[in-house]
Amino acid sequence: MTRPDVLGEQNEKGHSVRVAEIDGGRLRASVCSGTSCTFAGSSAVYEAFVQAVADAGLSETVQVAIVGCHGLCSMSPVVVMGDDTLYGHLRPDDVATVVEQHLKSGVPVEKFLYKDPQTGASVRDWHDIEFYRRQTRIALRHVGHINPESIDEYMATGGYAAARTVLTQRTPEWVIQEVADSGIRGRGGAGFSTGVKWKLARQSRGDEKYIICNGDEGDPGAFMDASIMDGDPHAVIEGMLIGGYAIGARNGYIYVRAEYPLAVRRLTKALSDAEAAGMLGDDVFGSGWSFHLKLKLGAGAFVCGEETALIASIEGRRGMPRTRPPFPAVSGLWGKPTSINNVETFANIPWIVAHGAAAYWEIGVEGSQGTKALSVGGKGVNGGLAEVTMGLSLRDVVHRIGGGVKTGRQLKAVQLGGPSGGCVPASMLDTPVDYESLAATGAMVGSGGMVIVDDQTCMVDMARFFLAFTQSESCGKCVPCRLGTKRMLEVLDRIVAGNGRPGDVELLEEMSAHVIEGSLCALGGTAPNPVLTTIKYFRKEYEAHVNEKRCPAKSCKALIRYVIDPQACTGCTLCAKKCPVTCISGERKLPHVIDQDACTKCGTCFEACKFNAVVVLSGAAELAAMESEE
């Protein structure tokens, strides 16, 4: 099946039509201004391009524009030229060369092109990079291609056309049925049917109703929602406009954490521009329907991702979940019927309305229609923002999109779903990315966070990291979550510290069951998932920590020692020079030694040594073997 195009019509190469036409046909140099690229210095790169284009006398033929996250964050800052050439790791001082060589002479600058991780060959056209070839972009269809601060560019790509059609030609019931028929499920993690949720809110009686966008993306390493909000804010607004009309809500809120300053700034401008253009406010499109949106900033509490806690936060109360029923669709914000949907869910809605439920249903697999945006991080070659067809295997995501594991390492697992998710071992890479298949492994789709894990990662410590996060983010309302996660964390802390006791693994399993069964909301109910899945698939690693006081990954500081192999050491002194605590001694051209009492186990010497003389030992057996060789 041909992937959905990015901006509508496709060109002769089968690629999506570029937005150069928006600005009178001028060649477009698109500078990524997503969060990753911004932190990597893309603002300075943008200014350098503007200046270099002007200095070269190309201002009449070249437009320099900002766009949202293009996806390949591992190459930040990214710039995409109008002929689809992608450049990465650009610095302001590099821009003049690109302008002179590429824009004036038409010759790409080899140095900044993407290098294929398998062949090492340069790839010029971004469509030909495997990271993009395996993607199907719907929610991210505009992100990285249009200026997120321009309502004109959004409208030039068909933006707000779906909302206009709905408000002037369709009934709310038609919209709800279309969304239900598409099969789209909530992209925030729970995977509840969006059509059913809207139908319940529509049927609930109330003199006033509300629709809320949950932009409180709190999973460590997850940035899908942030990238949509700061890369294509009008798609979210249009989706909410359609949803508000469908359920009968004339007022809505976009709830976004204040730690997303770029998203906050662009959403604020987008709301103002939409109101000025008549897309929001009274009598939208002359339809007689009024719809008003407000931005609500959250203080960064992870628990506010839970819808009843989010509602409490908007109402000015402490963000804490409440028991259900009643569900928000019946009694939500200020006791009124309320529908809460995720950022990515809303971004899909205009596409579904424009292309039809049947078109969306055909994408993905039975029960998991459509696509899912992922933030791919960890030890892969390609890190960044991707959107894949539901049902694509983890193998394709890791090796085709993620580019495989970095040189010299072996894939160990894939962690999905953030702190509420779980780990899938490398032996199960053929598992499809869909709700039911991942749930069967003990993991979950979740919001879309995905971490590629290599053989240097300790699975016990990884479980401890995620549990530490959820434990600190517990609102404290219910005992199983507040104290259960704390007791579990204490057990994990002592295991990685080398103080594990017989029966600790079984104790973790027992406590996990109590936390899951007794917790009020999904934060506590899913907190043990990383622990349970790592025990399920990596139990021997836990047992090595407890019984042998050994970390197989040689990662836990309390269980490892850095030593220098005298047979391999050349006495180059590089490790001693790099050591931040000067605990390495020895004469030049003679074997060096590490003072174990002073060593902080930072690993600097291991990274610095060019002769593999620095060895990491874990467990009494390895240490004894090393000493016997000496």
Side-chain angles (χ1 to χ4, degrees), residues 262-282:
L262 196 58
V264 170
R265 176 165 64 83
R266 288 178 178 165
L267 280 168
T268 300
K269 185 178 189 304
L271 288 172
S272 176
D273 290 347
E275 289 178 3
M279 309 304 175
L280 294 176
D282 297 327

Side-chain angles (χ1 to χ4, degrees), residues 173-184 193 195-196 352 356-362 369:
E173 290 75 17
W174 180 92
V175 176
I176 292 174
Q177 191 61 53
E178 194 74 359
V179 171
D181 290 346
S182 73
I184 186 172
S193 167
V196 171
I352 292 172
Y360 193 83
W361 178 271
E362 291 176 0
Q369 272 71 31

Side-chain angles (χ1 to χ4, degrees), residues 32-44:
C32 174
S33 66
T35 300
S36 176
C37 284
T38 297
F39 276 105
S42 66
S43 296

Side-chain angles (χ1 to χ4, degrees), residues 252-332:
Y253 288 86
I254 303 178
Y255 188 95
V256 56
R257 53 182 46 224
E259 291 97 326
Y260 283 167
L262 196 58
V264 170
R265 176 165 64 83
R266 288 178 178 165
L267 280 168
T268 300
K269 185 178 189 304
L271 288 172
S272 176
D273 290 347
E275 289 178 3
M279 309 304 175
L280 294 176
D282 297 327
D283 192 24
V284 180
F285 301 124
S287 64
W289 180 258
S290 299
F291 186 68
H292 299 268
L293 271 180
K294 294 182 180 179
L295 196 62
K296 170 66 177 179
L297 303 189
F302 181 64
V303 73
C304 284
E306 197 278 336
E307 57 185 17
T308 61
L310 185 152
I311 287 172
S313 178
I314 293 178
E315 292 175 343
R317 298 182 288 115
R318 181 179 177 184
M320 300 177 76
R322 63 164 172 80
T323 55
R324 297 178 294 177
F327 292 93
V330 176
S331 178

Side-chain angles (χ1 to χ4, degrees), residues 29-168:
S30 299
V31 182
C32 174
S33 66
T35 300
S36 176
C37 284
T38 297
F39 276 105
S42 66
S43 296
V45 172
Y46 171 82
E47 296 297 335
F49 258 104
V50 172
Q51 185 63 52
V53 167
D55 291 345
L58 300 174
S59 298
E60 295 297 320
T61 57
V62 177
Q63 178 204 21
V64 183
I66 63 168
V67 294
C69 177
H70 202 271
L72 202 53
C73 302
S74 53
M75 289 194 69
S76 297
V78 169
V79 176
V80 178
M81 311 304 284
D83 59 359
D84 290 332
T85 301
L86 184 145
Y87 290 122
H89 302 307
L90 282 180
R91 296 293 180 263
D93 291 345
D94 303 323
V95 171
T97 301
V98 174
V99 170
E100 183 67 26
Q101 188 170 319
H102 187 129
L103 293 180
K104 292 188 72 174
S105 303
V107 180
V109 184
E110 182 83 13
K111 178 181 178 181
F112 305 116
L113 296 178
Y114 176 84
K115 303 299 186 296
D116 185 277
Q118 305 302 321
T119 66
S122 298
V123 184
R124 175 174 177 172
D125 190 325
W126 67 267
H127 295 90
D128 297 327
I129 298 174
E130 199 68 18
F131 175 83
Y132 295 104
R133 287 172 61 87
R134 299 297 295 177
Q135 293 190 46
T136 301
R137 293 198 163 199
I138 295 179
L140 303 177
R141 59 195 177 277
H142 298 144
V143 179
H145 299 280
I146 66 172
N147 183 342
E149 298 183 8
S150 170
I151 189 174
D152 291 334
E153 289 202 10
Y154 180 72
M155 294 179 68
T157 63
Y160 289 110
R164 181 186 295 275
T165 298
V166 164
L167 267 63
T168 59

